[in-house]
Amino acid sequence: MTSSTPEHERLRADRERQGNWKRWGPYLSERQWSTVREDYSAEGDAWDTFPHEQARSRAYRWGEDGLLGITDRQCRLCFALSLWNHRDPFLKERLYGLTGPQGNHAEDVKELYYYLDSTPTHSYLKALYKYPHCEFPYQKLVEENKRRGLNDLEFEITDTSAFAEERYFDVFAEYAKAAPEDICIRITLHNRGPEEAALDVLPTLWYRNTWSWEEGAARPQLTLVDGKVEARHSGLKAAMVDDLGKHCLQAMAASDGTQAQWLFTENETNQKLLFGSPNASPYTKDAFHRFVVGGELEAVNPAQTGTKAAAHYRLHIPAGGSVTLKLRLREQSLAAGADFDEVFTQRIQEADAFYQTLYAPDAVHAQIQRQAFAGLLWSKQFYYYVVPEWLQGDPAYPPPPESRKGGRNHHWQHVYAKDVLSMPDKWEYPWFAAWDAAFHMLPFAELDPDFAKEQLLLFLREWYMHPNGQIPAYEWKFSDVNPPVHAWACWRVYKISAPAGARDREFLERCFQKLLLNFTWWVNRKDSEGHNLFSGGFLGLDNIGIFDRSQPLPDGQRLEQADGTAWMAFYALTMLNMALELAQRNDGTVNAAYEDMASKFFEHFVQIVDAINHIGDEGLWDEDDGFYYDELHAEGQPPLPLRTRSLVGLLPLIAVELLDEHRIAMLPGFKKRMEWFLHHRSDLAQHVSYCESGGTHGHRLLAIPSRERLQRLLGYLLDEQEFLSPFGIRSLSKYHEEHPYTLRLNGGDLTVRYVPGESDSLMFGGNSNWRGPVWFPIAYLIVEALERYHHFYGKNFTIELPSGSGHHVTLQGVANEISRRLTRLFEPDASGHRPCHNGDERYASHPNWKDLLLFHEYFHADTGRGCGASHQTGWTALVARLVRKR
């Protein structure tokens, strides 16, 4: 970063270990219950083993969750909100949603909450939760979604009367750091209703329970001293590795004069309630619920000590009025520091100054960027999962069934995860997904390049990457195969995060060495016939295929995948680029070892491209249709192309790179071998887009499709009756709406049809759909690829946009138009409606709703309505990059 604002200075101080500004942040999960880590069942039934109903009473083993909360980077001491509207059957301590089996489209959060702001060091944070006055309709949400089928919309909280007549609270949580260990907390509670409403608010401080599970872990302590809670977490282990030190939490009088009553208990399971076993202490995790909602005065510890404490405010907020709570959490040895309100004023001004260095020039797009970045930063989470310990069970508890040792993730006993990671969605996907994270890091490279680089390196470390070279996919099944985009992310972060003269070559070299292992794993495991045609499995595209592509096929059949092969060509090109960069040292000399690797990846790319481009029985290009298809192979039978027009057949577009003539000239060893190869193996180069010279900037083009094939593919891509949606790129052609593709296989009919919204299939749990909707990650890759094609062809290559319109544009014009359509999802029209909100009038015109954005997992291809996980700002935050490009 070349900009210098106070936030940039904090980033520098944190990087140089002059100030621990990132020690505290929004690292608290939003759903720890029903995760794999908390599942100790024999059958691996995570959804039912630890349900929401148990979460208030049962201590977690591997993490914590909370409402609009923060924690330190090892999740030792946590802070979050608890609320009670005097009507709910229990204290609102965490977000509620349906489990996978309950939802008609699988798991689904059923709350309204919004990430509004965050700086990269979390020196300022702001989020909003909308809490109804009425009893939360838990049962109605379950029953109605159970009644609905796969072809029905999900039943949401906004479909109930929960927010009728404005009878709800807007709960704003803000955090501002006066210093790395001095955090000011401001909770603003607005009653939006027409009458006075009662609200109990319990800002809660607690320790993650380690003492019940880990041998040698002592119990930390919270104690009320002189009106403040003292938190002692020191000297807990001989090695002092987990020593957080001493902190104190001060709760001031509310703005209406209400004083807080301090409550204390232990963060331990209520064994008697849940399992019929005696409790070691009468003070259990659910004590505040029992005290506030149930009126059990004896539930809390009168000695005012424990491992969980809350400042209990009993408020009556007038109609249209608000109350503000102020708390301060700081390291105990620190003096009070700067004035509370001045800290907020200053940090908000500094956040504005930081984002002005990244913003689009207009207010509409600046707001989209700001909230996209906020969601990305709020989605960082402490993730703890030590596989061998999890498989073996915990010392103080009965051992798990023997069958568990051969169950989920048992081949990954090297995994030791205890890090702050970028999550896809902290409620629906509160665990890392490696290919999601790769896309997250591009916008992160602009916000916080150090974090982006650390995350990418982390997944390549020996406590994540398998010894065989595979990168773990995601918590439910580490061994699943996601697209190999990690190298691309490393390369892009390397280029984005610093100007050309100051790029972090050490980072690139560290990535390259480990990526060699991963590339080799792909070649050895996913090219079964050694023909350079790959079959990676479902590749993260869930139900895009006519059948589950990750499952073995009967009778020795095998699948050769157009997308799997394209991903590997893309991977080889990225490794070629890295090797060329590292081959040329800063002092102008040549590193021959990297020249050799560049030659290796150049030749591998050519071989893959030759394989995919063959016409006839051996390739995946269909000359009649002008499209790439997966092919099904059976012994003694001709290959059967699976003629679905989907992203599978468009992905070969992304395997394109430009070789700089000047750079090649400075690497004589690589140049000589490349020219020898192309001369002596012309048979392999016949289908490769390779130019001895040409292009607009002295480059040579390497790409899967030739110019003619590129033109034919773009004809499909830019046809509004095929792939070109008003909101980006459809994942399956609209052609299949009227022309479903059916294959008779093994005695049954399998059909793929265009489904622009949620899935109508239970494949992969039915919680995502690649048979029509718009997804940001692949669309973004295509936009980048089109820009590279344009850089080579320039004005000499134009195409109709849309197809059949007679209006011709350059490929840069195509990239711009796709970017515009994607960004349009979040832009208000003349009446204030944003497509992502599906016509909800509140988001268009109501002053308390209209500036709130949600960044969904994917989007309805015909209407733009947000689908899937509602807070998957991770890869949907790529919209901030598209806005910046524009």
Side-chain angles (χ1 to χ4, degrees):
M1 290 184 177
T2 56
S3 303
S4 182
T5 66
E7 180 62 16
H8 286 103
E9 286 302 305
R10 282 189 283 272
L11 285 167
R12 180 199 58 76
D14 190 86
R15 178 177 63 252
E16 296 175 2
R17 299 184 181 277
Q18 296 175 355
N20 201 355
W21 283 100
K22 295 181 193 174
R23 188 180 205 185
W24 295 87
Y27 311 143
L28 203 59
S29 177
E30 282 159 359
R31 179 174 63 82
Q32 186 69 16
W33 54 275
S34 287
T35 58
V36 166
R37 283 154 289 155
E38 302 298 338
D39 173 20
Y40 276 60
S41 69
E43 301 80 18
D45 185 8
W47 286 119
D48 293 330
T49 299
F50 197 146
H52 176 265
E53 290 74 22
Q54 291 189 5
R56 65 179 172 272
S57 303
R58 183 172 163 188
Y60 297 124
R61 167 66 176 94
W62 296 97
E64 289 289 347
D65 59 20
L67 186 62
L68 307 185
I70 61 171
T71 185
D72 68 282
R73 64 163 58 94
Q74 292 187 43
C75 195
R76 293 162 289 193
L77 185 59
C78 309
F79 175 91
L81 299 184
S82 297
L83 308 167
W84 188 51
N85 59 9
H86 290 240
R87 291 180 173 86
D88 274 357
F90 51 82
L91 200 63
K92 175 68 69 174
E93 296 178 278
R94 58 190 52 80
L95 296 168
Y96 172 75
L98 303 185
T99 67
Q102 288 176 327
N104 63 321
H105 296 118
E107 67 268 30
D108 187 23
V109 69
K110 296 299 184 185
E111 304 265 24
L112 296 182
Y113 59 106
Y114 308 87
Y115 307 124
L116 301 180
D117 211 354
S118 178
T119 56
T121 64
H122 313 298
S123 58
Y124 178 67
L125 286 161
K126 184 177 183 180
L128 166 65
Y129 173 67
K130 289 183 178 287
Y131 186 40
H133 290 177
C134 66
E135 180 177 343
F136 199 91
Y138 296 103
Q139 196 59 33
K140 187 173 183 179
L141 288 164
V142 172
E143 291 173 355
E144 178 60 23
N145 279 282
K146 183 178 181 180
R147 188 187 66 80
R148 297 188 179 196
L150 288 170
N151 293 314
D152 298 316
L153 291 175
E154 296 165 353
F155 184 67
E156 304 292 0
I157 183 74
T158 47
D159 297 321
T160 72
S161 59
F163 295 93
E165 300 178 330
E166 305 293 306
R167 295 178 185 275
Y168 70 92
F169 301 101
D170 268 340
V171 181
F172 289 92
E174 294 177 276
Y175 302 87
K177 296 180 182 177
E181 296 283 345
D182 185 356
I183 305 169
C184 299
I185 303 167
R186 184 165 67 190
I187 313 300
T188 308
L189 308 133
H190 294 269
N191 176 7
R192 301 300 189 189
E195 300 167 354
E196 180 182 88
L199 178 66
D200 284 25
V201 185
L202 291 85
T204 305
L205 187 71
W206 75 99
Y207 282 107
R208 175 168 62 87
N209 188 327
T210 58
W211 55 92
S212 294
W213 328 99
E214 299 174 9
E215 290 190 71
R219 183 190 299 266
Q221 191 171 34
L222 302 172
T223 307
L224 190 66
V225 179
D226 297 330
K228 302 175 186 177
V229 173
E230 289 190 356
R232 187 172 72 250
H233 188 277
S234 57
L236 299 185
K237 287 187 177 181
M240 303 290 282
V241 172
D242 291 330
D243 190 344
L244 186 62
K246 298 179 181 180
H247 291 75
C248 67
L249 177 65
Q250 178 184 6
M252 303 164 219
S255 59
D256 67 352
T258 301
Q259 296 285 344
Q261 174 191 4
W262 282 105
L263 308 176
F264 288 81
T265 189
E266 301 294 341
N267 183 20
E268 293 186 353
T269 299
N270 188 334
Q271 301 281 354
K272 183 177 180 181
L273 175 70
L274 297 180
F275 309 117
S277 304
N279 288 320
S281 164
Y283 312 116
T284 55
K285 180 179 177 178
D286 55 10
F288 302 158
H289 156 76
R290 290 157 52 207
F291 178 88
V292 174
V293 180
E296 296 182 37
L297 303 183
E298 68 279 7
V300 298
N301 190 345
Q304 296 186 310
T305 187
T307 48
K308 182 178 178 181
H312 182 199
Y313 293 88
R314 298 178 183 266
L315 304 175
H316 293 270
I317 307 177
S322 66
V323 173
T324 299
L325 311 181
K326 296 180 180 180
L327 302 98
R328 196 158 189 165
L329 175 66
R330 66 177 187 272
E331 203 279 321
Q332 193 168 335
S333 65
L334 293 176
D339 176 76
F340 186 98
D341 292 327
E342 287 182 7
V343 171
F344 272 98
T345 299
Q346 187 172 354
R347 293 296 176 261
I348 292 170
Q349 291 174 348
E350 292 167 354
D352 291 343
F354 175 81
Y355 281 110
Q356 283 170 6
T357 68
L358 298 175
Y359 271 167
D362 63 282
V364 168
H365 291 101
Q367 180 205 17
I368 294 170
Q369 283 181 297
R370 184 82 168 250
Q371 288 193 39
F373 284 140
L376 192 68
L377 289 160
W378 269 91
S379 294
K380 290 158 70 172
Q381 178 190 317
F382 170 75
Y383 182 82
Y384 186 28
Y385 186 26
V386 181
V387 172
E389 294 180 14
W390 175 76
L391 287 171
Q392 293 163 13
D394 299 306
Y397 287 78
E402 194 65 25
S403 61
R404 178 179 169 79
K405 295 180 181 178
R408 177 182 287 128
N409 296 333
H410 72 280
H411 291 305
W412 293 79
Q413 296 201 34
H414 66 285
V415 169
Y416 190 105
K418 195 176 184 181
D419 303 284
V420 171
L421 301 177
S422 179
M423 298 294 155
D425 178 303
K426 286 206 298 186
W427 192 93
E428 190 156 326
Y429 303 113
W431 29 259
F432 74 85
W435 89 294
D436 294 60
F439 290 102
H440 303 180
M441 292 310 116
L442 268 69
F444 256 121
E446 294 188 303
L447 291 169
D448 185 354
D450 294 314
F451 180 79
K453 288 185 280 190
E454 290 163 3
Q455 290 281 288
L456 291 169
L457 286 169
L458 194 59
F459 289 116
L460 300 175
R461 296 305 301 265
E462 59 273 20
W463 50 88
Y464 282 88
M465 178 185 271
H466 198 280
N468 66 20
Q470 186 179 10
I471 295 173
Y474 48 85
E475 181 178 272
W476 282 83
K477 193 175 181 182
F478 282 158
S479 58
D480 263 351
V481 181
N482 281 168
V485 291
H486 209 83
W488 165 79
C490 294
W491 175 242
R492 296 296 289 122
V493 166
Y494 169 76
K495 296 180 73 175
I496 293 168
S497 59
R503 289 176 181 162
D504 188 348
R505 289 173 64 87
E506 182 180 342
F507 160 73
L508 189 66
E509 191 163 7
R510 291 175 68 190
C511 292
F512 186 86
Q513 300 298 334
K514 288 297 188 72
L515 287 165
L516 285 175
L517 300 176
N518 183 243
F519 187 90
T520 303
W521 177 86
W522 272 90
V523 170
N524 290 338
R525 297 295 182 94
K526 296 303 174 181
D527 178 12
S528 60
E529 301 298 310
H531 293 164
N532 291 302
L533 294 172
F534 292 81
S535 51
F538 85 110
L539 291 173
L541 308 188
D542 291 37
N543 64 347
I544 201 167
I546 199 162
F547 48 75
D548 184 346
R549 300 188 302 169
S550 66
Q551 296 301 315
L553 292 168
D555 303 323
Q557 297 175 87
R558 58 184 173 84
L559 187 70
E560 291 179 343
Q561 294 177 227
D563 55 339
T565 305
W567 285 121
M568 285 305 290
F570 180 62
Y571 199 167
L573 275 183
T574 306
M575 295 296 282
L576 168 60
N577 259 330
M578 288 185 179
L580 290 172
E581 178 82 359
L582 294 169
Q584 190 174 344
R585 298 189 180 100
N586 288 335
D587 62 4
T589 60
V590 173
N591 186 326
Y594 285 107
E595 269 193 304
D596 291 346
M597 294 309 300
S599 297
K600 176 260 185 296
F601 284 109
F602 172 80
E603 294 185 16
H604 208 135
F605 169 76
V606 173
Q607 290 167 340
I608 294 172
V609 173
D610 181 71
I612 196 174
N613 274 321
H614 262 298
I615 298 174
D617 290 350
E618 298 180 4
L620 302 181
W621 172 258
D622 188 291
E623 184 64 23
D624 292 334
D625 289 0
F627 208 75
Y628 292 97
Y629 296 121
D630 285 355
E631 282 189 349
L632 191 63
H633 290 254
E635 190 68 34
Q637 300 291 326
L640 176 64
L642 304 181
R643 298 180 185 278
T644 57
R645 294 207 282 270
S646 72
L647 286 178
V648 165
L650 291 181
L651 269 166
L653 286 172
I654 72 170
V656 53
E657 273 300 347
L658 306 180
L659 299 186
D660 184 273
E661 295 269 19
H662 177 69
R663 171 181 280 178
I664 293 172
M666 297 180 69
L667 299 171
F670 171 76
K671 180 181 180 182
K672 180 179 179 181
R673 287 189 292 274
M674 181 182 71
E675 290 175 344
W676 182 95
F677 182 82
L678 290 169
H679 176 72
H680 290 278
R681 296 302 309 273
S682 57
D683 59 311
L684 294 181
Q686 60 182 321
H687 295 303
V688 181
S689 289
Y690 170 78
C691 298
E692 279 293 333
S693 60
T696 58
H697 298 87
H699 288 95
R700 300 178 179 188
L701 179 70
L702 291 178
I704 285 182
S706 64
R707 178 170 179 148
E708 185 270 335
R709 292 182 182 180
L710 174 63
Q711 193 109 17
R712 295 184 72 181
L713 286 171
L714 291 177
Y716 290 108
L717 175 65
L718 304 180
D719 189 333
E720 291 181 318
Q721 297 307 308
E722 295 262 4
F723 286 98
L724 188 61
S725 158
F727 309 103
I729 299 172
R730 297 181 175 98
S731 45
L732 184 78
S733 171
K734 192 176 175 68
Y735 170 83
H736 292 300
E737 184 173 42
E738 300 295 331
H739 306 89
Y741 177 74
T742 299
L743 174 69
R744 187 157 187 81
L745 184 67
N746 304 319
D749 287 341
L750 301 171
T751 298
V752 170
R753 62 172 53 86
Y754 174 69
V755 181
E758 289 86 356
S759 177
D760 64 355
S761 158
L762 288 175
M763 193 183 297
F764 284 92
N767 68 334
S768 67
N769 180 33
W770 290 80
R771 294 183 177 179
V774 170
W775 294 76
F776 262 80
I778 306 299
Y780 184 87
L781 289 172
I782 290 174
V783 166
E784 276 202 347
L786 290 167
E787 291 174 336
R788 293 196 293 276
Y789 283 115
H790 174 76
H791 197 70
F792 182 78
Y793 288 120
K795 296 179 180 179
N796 297 322
F797 191 123
T798 62
I799 194 154
E800 281 186 307
L801 177 63
S803 297
S805 67
H807 174 63
H808 284 74
V809 299
T810 65
L811 296 182
Q812 184 62 59
V814 175
N816 293 345
E817 177 61 15
I818 293 171
S819 298
R820 186 190 71 79
R821 293 184 182 219
L822 287 162
T823 307
R824 184 182 165 219
L825 286 160
F826 308 102
E827 296 170 346
D829 62 16
S831 61
H833 288 91
R834 304 174 197 259
C836 62
H837 289 317
N838 195 36
D840 189 324
E841 188 59 39
R842 286 169 293 197
Y843 287 106
S845 58
H846 197 291
N848 297 325
W849 295 71
K850 68 183 181 67
D851 292 327
L852 303 174
L853 292 175
L854 291 173
F855 298 86
H856 285 78
E857 185 180 2
Y858 56 98
F859 300 85
H860 192 289
D862 297 336
T863 68
R865 172 175 59 85
C867 302
S870 58
H871 289 70
Q872 195 155 346
T873 317
W875 61 22
T876 304
L878 288 165
V879 68
R881 289 279 301 158
L882 295 176
V883 167
R884 192 152 163 79
K885 281 174 176 283
R886 291 173 60 189

